[in-house]
Amino acid sequence: MFPANVSTLNTYNDLYPDWTQREVSTGTTIMAVEFEGGVVIGADSRTTTGAYIANRVTDKLTPIHERIFCCRSGSAADTQAIADAVTYQLGFHSIELDEAPLVQTAASLFREMCYRYREELMAGIIVAGWDPRRGGQVYTVPVGGMMTRQPVSVGGSGSSYIYGYVDSNYRAGMSKEECLKFTAEALALAMERDGSSGGVVRLAVISEQGVERQAILGNQLPKFSTV
Amino acid sequence: MDSHHSYSQVKGVSTGVSSLFIVSYVSSKTINKLIQVHDRIFCCIAGSLADAQAVTKMAKFQLSFHSIQMESPPLVKAAASIMRELCYNNKEELQAGFITAGWDRKKGPQIYVVSLGGMLLSQPYTIGGSGSTYIYGYVDAKFKPDMSLEEATQFSTNALALAMGRDNVSGGVVHLVVITEAEVKHVVVPGNKLPKFHDE
């Protein structure tokens, strides 16, 4: 539970703040949606060490290749290390192949690593991107190392709160703008309820044309509350 | 330790104007989680069933005694306060949360949440139980104050159906209880008549 370099002395008292003894975690809400021609991915921007927000403007949407991104949740250290390793492996593979890699290949590489080292790792990752063969695709690689393709996927601690919302609001065949609105609203709802999620909403659209990124800041987030 | 943890997904919606009130719960087997503590006041339970039953039995008794002394139907807040006293004073031993909801002449339809440690809170709508986590986003987005009976029923049924679709310990039928000044109506919606969503 605690990393090796954290003191095992009993420092649970008011003299030592909570964050000196907790691992850095991207608590998080992440989401990805397929649409005709690409994918929309989104994440919140909060990284916590216990109750302290270590980074309130984190970028959890990490590029793995030109048109393949991953959304990271779980241990910040683990997911960064895995993403770096997969980026290297995929880059090498792409050069060997002399063409753009498949999203499924990237997802498989994540799955290989997450499954092989499942005892040591705490990482929930959503891999999403566009390739010429199959278009926009979303693959989810949750804790434990399973891999499956889904038209829409949510992950992270905040995702529990929006399963109902996503189930009821998702329709197949949405346009890019509809997907962006759907993702932003779902993330805003989760950030409202989950203490480990918050900050800004980061969105990205990946398609044949490339990657467009945007951020929705606090006061511009969709508002729902009536109480 | 006799501890029965069961899924209890409860929602209450109040429309002040038409004095309507809906409480719904899901019973996954044949366990009744909706307990009537007075003519127009119901308690929905979550957590350890044994603890919840003990508390509601005690509350029912105290409430009827109080009602006789006052010579009038009890306030919903009174019922909720009794639950809260019991939960707070015995917080070490108990593992149960409640939603007390009903109608009274003073304030009309009301919902009170009595949580695990004995906090009492009044809310226009609320959800609870293991399946509730999955629908926080949905109810936050969809709730509007002053809904009609039909809208509120649809809202509750949709939310419950979504939660049942995701929570493995809930399912079966949806029980709805509508409490108004005039009457208490109990509606049962079987699983196959529930709204379906895109992946079903």
Side-chain angles (χ1 to χ4, degrees):
Chain A
M1 187 179 43
F2 292 125
N5 58 338
V6 165
S7 165
T8 50
L9 294 172
N10 180 9
T11 45
Y12 178 65
N13 55 51
D14 286 340
L15 295 176
Y16 292 87
D18 175 48
W19 51 262
T20 56
Q21 295 151 84
R22 301 300 203 103
E23 201 183 320
V24 176
S25 151
T26 44
T28 241
T29 315
I30 50 177
M31 182 164 166
V33 190
E34 289 178 10
F35 66 93
E36 185 63 50
V39 293
V40 169
I41 59 175
D44 72 302
S45 71
R46 183 173 289 182
T47 307
T48 50
T49 28
Y52 175 65
I53 299 173
N55 185 355
R56 62 187 171 100
V57 285
T58 323
D59 185 7
K60 301 180 191 178
L61 306 175
T62 307
I64 303 295
H65 204 264
E66 207 178 325
R67 286 183 179 67
I68 306 176
F69 270 63
C70 75
C71 312
R72 300 181 290 114
S73 75
S75 155
D78 288 350
T79 55
Q80 283 176 2
I82 297 168
D84 287 348
V86 171
T87 305
Y88 164 75
Q89 292 171 350
L90 198 67
F92 193 82
H93 169 75
S94 169
I95 287 170
E96 280 187 317
L97 231 58
D98 198 23
E99 66 182 37
L102 298 177
V103 186
Q104 187 179 10
T105 311
S108 289
L109 288 170
F110 272 106
R111 186 266 314 272
E112 266 304 294
M113 196 161 295
C114 290
Y115 180 68
R116 186 175 298 260
Y117 300 108
R118 58 186 296 175
E119 304 302 321
E120 287 93 350
L121 293 174
M122 172 66 91
I125 294 174
I126 299 179
V127 185
W130 183 92
D131 64 43
R133 192 183 296 186
R134 295 204 187 110
Q137 299 146 73
V138 170
Y139 294 87
T140 182
V141 182
V143 168
M146 165 187 99
M147 191 250 292
T148 186
R149 181 178 174 188
Q150 294 179 312
V152 57
S153 187
V154 294
S157 56
S159 67
S160 320
Y161 304 106
I162 50 173
Y163 275 109
Y165 182 81
V166 167
D167 283 346
S168 64
N169 279 62
Y170 173 74
R171 299 171 330 265
M174 287 196 283
S175 69
K176 179 178 96 169
E177 286 67 30
E178 287 173 318
C179 285
L180 279 165
K181 180 165 182 283
F182 172 50
T183 308
E185 286 179 348
L187 288 170
L189 285 164
M191 285 156 65
E192 194 73 9
R193 285 288 182 180
D194 181 29
S196 311
S197 303
V200 308
V201 168
R202 293 204 190 275
L203 295 167
V205 181
I206 309 170
S207 62
E208 182 173 8
Q209 285 73 39
V211 178
E212 306 157 32
R213 299 202 58 161
Q214 56 178 277
I216 304 181
L217 306 186
N219 55 351
Q220 291 148 4
L221 284 171
K223 292 194 194 342
F224 295 92
S225 184
T226 53
V227 293
Chain B
M1 176 172 102
D2 175 25
S3 159
H4 177 93
H5 282 261
S6 46
Y7 163 72
S8 168
Q9 208 275 298
V10 181
K11 168 155 331 80
V13 171
S14 147
T15 64
V17 174
S18 50
S19 295
L20 277 173
F21 192 85
I22 297 178
V23 169
S24 53
Y25 76 99
V26 175
S27 168
S28 53
K29 303 273 192 220
T30 53
I31 300 164
N32 181 9
K33 291 174 199 153
L34 197 60
I35 315 236
Q36 184 162 21
V37 294
H38 210 268
D39 291 347
R40 296 281 182 279
I41 307 177
F42 276 70
C43 258
C44 320
I45 57 186
S48 159
L49 204 64
D51 288 348
Q53 280 184 348
V55 172
T56 47
K57 277 187 159 62
M58 175 71 96
K60 195 170 177 179
F61 166 75
Q62 291 187 1
L63 195 63
S64 68
F65 194 74
H66 168 74
S67 169
I68 287 166
Q69 279 189 315
M70 304 300 284
E71 290 179 16
S72 74
L75 299 178
V76 185
K77 191 159 191 178
S81 280
I82 291 172
M83 311 286 296
R84 186 266 315 273
E85 280 301 295
L86 292 165
C87 289
Y88 182 72
N89 292 333
N90 299 296
K91 60 159 73 175
E92 314 300 329
E93 285 90 12
L94 292 174
Q95 263 267 321
F98 304 89
I99 298 178
T100 306
W103 183 95
D104 64 44
R105 283 199 44 202
K106 186 170 171 193
K107 277 187 174 167
Q110 299 144 71
I111 302 175
Y112 294 91
V113 175
V114 178
S115 64
L116 228 55
M119 173 184 83
L120 176 62
L121 203 58
S122 168
Q123 296 188 305
Y125 68 95
T126 192
I127 53 178
S130 62
S132 68
T133 52
Y134 305 107
I135 50 173
Y136 272 103
Y138 180 79
V139 304
D140 283 346
K142 288 289 197 268
F143 174 76
K144 307 182 313 282
D146 298 325
M147 284 193 262
S148 69
L149 172 59
E150 290 69 32
E151 287 175 315
T153 313
Q154 194 57 52
F155 172 56
S156 302
T157 317
N158 283 348
L160 285 166
L162 288 165
M164 285 156 69
R166 288 287 181 177
D167 187 24
N168 57 337
V169 295
S170 57
V173 300
V174 166
H175 292 266
L176 286 166
V177 172
V178 182
I179 308 171
T180 60
E181 176 176 5
E183 56 165 6
V184 167
K185 203 167 58 156
H186 184 197
V187 176
V188 177
V189 184
N192 57 352
K193 300 274 194 313
L194 287 174
K196 290 200 185 325
F197 299 93
H198 79 278
D199 57 356
E200 294 167 275

